[in-house]
Amino acid sequence: MSDPWEYSLYIPCDPRAVTVCRRTLRLILTLHGLIHLVDTAELLASELVSNAVLHTKGPACLRLRFRDGVLQIGAWDADPEPPEPPGRLEGLADAENGRGMALVRACSDLWHWQPLTRMGHRGKLVWCELAVA
């Protein structure tokens, strides 16, 4: 098992930041030999970062953490309000919005959120996990 690591990428409140986060995540996972997780991890990070950028007004951050064979993908934003609980993915097939967290729940091994202050801003971290094995 490889040593634990963590990366944080602070991003502006700008929809283009989602693409920057996806490409950064792909590079980090490739360099750490986790290429088999890239597609799912990109989807999860895109949904989490999109929510942080589109539904809040302040700064945001993508956090990637690897420890004990588990990749944790998180998005921090400056809104301390908890995320809406995800609906069932099957019931959202024709929905205009609201599928993001349902996808996170369906595609990850675990998801959760926690209050977290960063850069002097009260906010929250919404995260999910993918097991390497």
Side-chain angles (χ1 to χ4, degrees):
M1 195 66 50
S2 65
D3 291 332
W5 48 260
E6 180 176 332
Y7 293 86
S8 294
L9 176 63
Y10 291 91
I11 57 174
C13 190
D14 183 328
R16 294 173 290 195
V18 177
T19 300
V20 172
C21 288
R22 272 198 320 265
R23 291 186 178 162
T24 302
L25 176 142
R26 178 173 285 274
L27 179 60
I28 289 168
L29 294 184
T30 300
L31 292 173
H32 281 283
L34 299 173
I35 190 72
H36 61 286
L37 295 180
V38 166
D39 291 337
T40 303
E42 276 187 331
L43 170 68
L44 295 169
S46 293
E47 294 301 335
L48 295 174
V49 171
S50 291
N51 283 346
V53 169
L54 296 175
H55 301 298
T56 66
K57 293 183 179 14
C61 178
L62 170 68
R63 185 180 78 181
L64 303 173
R65 179 184 281 177
F66 180 79
R67 181 177 39 219
D68 299 327
V70 175
L71 174 66
Q72 186 182 81
I73 304 163
W76 174 86
D77 64 57
D79 179 3
E81 291 299 311
E84 289 291 320
R88 303 283 321 157
L89 194 54
E90 301 82 31
L92 296 169
D94 296 325
E96 293 281 322
N97 53 35
R99 291 188 303 260
M101 287 307 296
L103 278 169
V104 170
R105 183 169 93 182
C107 296
S108 65
D109 297 316
L110 174 70
W111 84 273
H112 201 29
W113 77 277
Q114 64 195 58
L116 184 66
T117 299
R118 286 205 165 187
M119 300 175 3
H121 297 276
R122 286 183 57 231
K124 68 179 171 297
L125 177 70
V126 181
W127 53 267
C128 62
E129 292 182 348
L130 288 176
V132 171

